[in-house]
Amino acid sequence: MKKIVLAGGTGFVGQYLEQKFTDQGYKVIIISRQSGHLNWSNHTGIVHALEGAEMVVNLAGKSVNCRYTEANKREIFDSRMETTEALGTAILNCDNPPPLWINSSTATIYRHAEDRPMTEASGEFGSGFSVEVGKAWEQALFSFNLPTTRQVALRLSIVLGKGGGVMTPYENMVRFGLGGKQGNGKQMFSWIHLEDVYRIILFVRDHNQISGVLNTTSPEPVTNRELMKQLRMAMNRKVGLPASKWMLNMGAVMIGTEPELILKSRWILPERLEQFDFHFNYPTLDKALENILNQ
């Protein structure tokens, strides 16, 4: 049986990937800290799981949807570094290592951009905690010299899918009349449909010439104003109250998150995927929302 190792596969994206790969006839081995899964402390077990696997996909890391207290920042950072280093060390100890290691990264590695889009070739890194996490995460991946294992970092933008992730709070905002622009509404919103994340993983698997970093985002980002407009249209809500920056700052404290998640302008394009002729099933937001909200 074909085998794939899914590290940190218990979240919104991981559960979807587990189901898709299982449906394709794969044996899916999940590494996590939850009972019933292969534990991160079991180095020998991880090596055994990786032996002969077709690929390993690492999604592990504490959610950034929290307040950036010192304790949370340390956990966000350590949960990414330690799991990535554990996988690299285990691959080095394999007799028959997986030919492909796909590791999560973040599109937030780029700076706040309202002037031009960021690509892998011409994008500029930003500053601050989230950026430093992204840079260290990728450095941890590419620090391993693995002659028979391709290493790919997916710079994931915001993932949209049915039944979880960011769609739940966005749907609630629109449903309760708060679906207007947030801040000045000019900040760019780069996103990708959950199904296309899975399809990109398959695409990378099937194209041996792909390695390094990939902007994992749709080719049609929108402004926050347009995002909220399309959400209202898709949900048949004509009116949505806007939220000013000070309201978002106050609200973020109340619900235990950071306003950066909404106010940072993420203008990112999938230049390398398009150069490799990857075809998106959901290139535009209207098609994505139609699929997610009307299934």
Side-chain angles (χ1 to χ4, degrees):
M1 178 180 281
K2 299 179 295 183
K3 180 172 67 170
I4 179 174
V5 177
L6 198 55
T10 59
F12 176 59
V13 176
Q15 290 178 23
Y16 178 86
L17 294 181
E18 180 189 10
Q19 186 62 57
K20 295 294 286 187
F21 280 112
T22 300
D23 291 346
Q24 292 296 317
Y26 281 87
K27 177 183 179 182
V28 181
I29 299 174
I30 296 179
I31 309 172
S32 83
R33 292 184 171 85
Q34 294 187 8
S35 61
H37 294 157
L38 183 57
N39 194 277
W40 282 106
S41 63
N42 186 354
H43 172 74
T44 302
I46 293 174
V47 173
H48 180 72
L50 292 171
E51 287 283 3
E54 188 172 290
M55 69 176 114
V56 53
V57 179
N58 181 24
L59 305 166
K62 175 181 169 59
S63 171
V64 296
N65 186 19
C66 62
R67 293 298 290 175
Y68 287 170
T69 63
E70 288 305 312
N72 281 340
K73 287 197 291 186
R74 184 165 55 253
E75 189 176 350
I76 288 169
F77 188 89
D78 290 348
S79 62
R80 285 157 174 76
M81 300 312 111
E82 291 172 1
T83 53
T84 301
E85 289 165 4
L87 286 175
T89 302
I91 292 172
L92 285 171
N93 288 320
C94 286
D95 295 321
N96 184 22
L100 176 61
W101 175 11
I102 294 177
N103 216 66
S104 286
S105 180
T106 173
T108 304
I109 201 168
Y110 298 111
R111 65 170 172 82
H112 179 100
E114 295 183 22
D115 55 332
R116 67 174 182 86
M118 303 286 113
T119 68
E120 296 94 342
S122 65
E124 298 170 354
F125 289 168
S127 59
F129 172 69
S130 298
V131 173
E132 294 307 313
V133 169
K135 289 161 64 176
W137 206 359
E138 292 183 4
Q139 184 178 1
L141 168 66
F142 295 118
S143 66
F144 286 95
N145 182 18
L146 306 172
T148 61
T149 300
R150 278 188 297 139
Q151 290 139 283
V152 178
L154 299 185
R155 288 179 177 166
L156 280 163
S157 58
I158 294 172
V159 179
L160 304 181
K162 186 175 179 65
V166 301
M167 283 303 301
T168 300
Y170 274 118
E171 287 179 60
N172 286 336
M173 283 190 290
V174 173
R175 191 171 289 116
F176 294 114
L178 302 174
K181 67 175 183 174
Q182 291 143 351
N184 63 21
K186 296 178 181 178
Q187 69 271 31
M188 296 298 293
F189 179 81
S190 288
W191 59 276
I192 188 164
H193 192 290
L194 183 56
E195 182 182 316
D196 277 331
V197 175
Y198 167 69
R199 293 179 60 253
I200 286 168
I201 290 171
L202 297 184
F203 188 81
V204 170
R205 178 198 66 184
D206 296 337
H207 290 76
N208 292 330
Q209 69 272 39
I210 299 178
S211 62
V213 299
L214 282 180
N215 286 350
T216 309
T217 185
S218 83
E220 298 289 341
V222 296
T223 63
N224 173 267
R225 183 191 296 271
E226 182 65 20
L227 164 69
M228 301 313 295
K229 176 183 176 182
Q230 291 205 31
L231 276 167
R232 293 195 306 272
M233 290 172 58
M235 295 178 65
N236 295 313
R237 295 291 195 277
K238 293 183 179 181
V239 178
L241 295 175
S244 63
K245 185 175 180 180
W246 71 265
M247 292 171 64
L248 292 170
N249 284 325
M250 185 171 65
V253 173
M254 293 174 64
I255 65 174
T257 189
E258 288 289 328
E260 174 196 51
L261 300 177
I262 289 176
L263 293 174
K264 181 172 180 178
S265 184
R266 298 170 172 86
W267 191 355
I268 299 132
L269 295 180
E271 184 176 66
R272 291 196 70 209
L273 281 169
E274 293 187 314
Q275 288 170 347
F276 285 115
D277 294 325
F278 176 78
H279 170 75
F280 289 85
N281 276 357
Y282 299 97
T284 59
L285 186 62
D286 58 337
K287 288 186 177 181
L289 293 179
E290 181 183 4
N291 170 264
I292 292 166
L293 295 172
N294 296 317
Q295 284 184 357

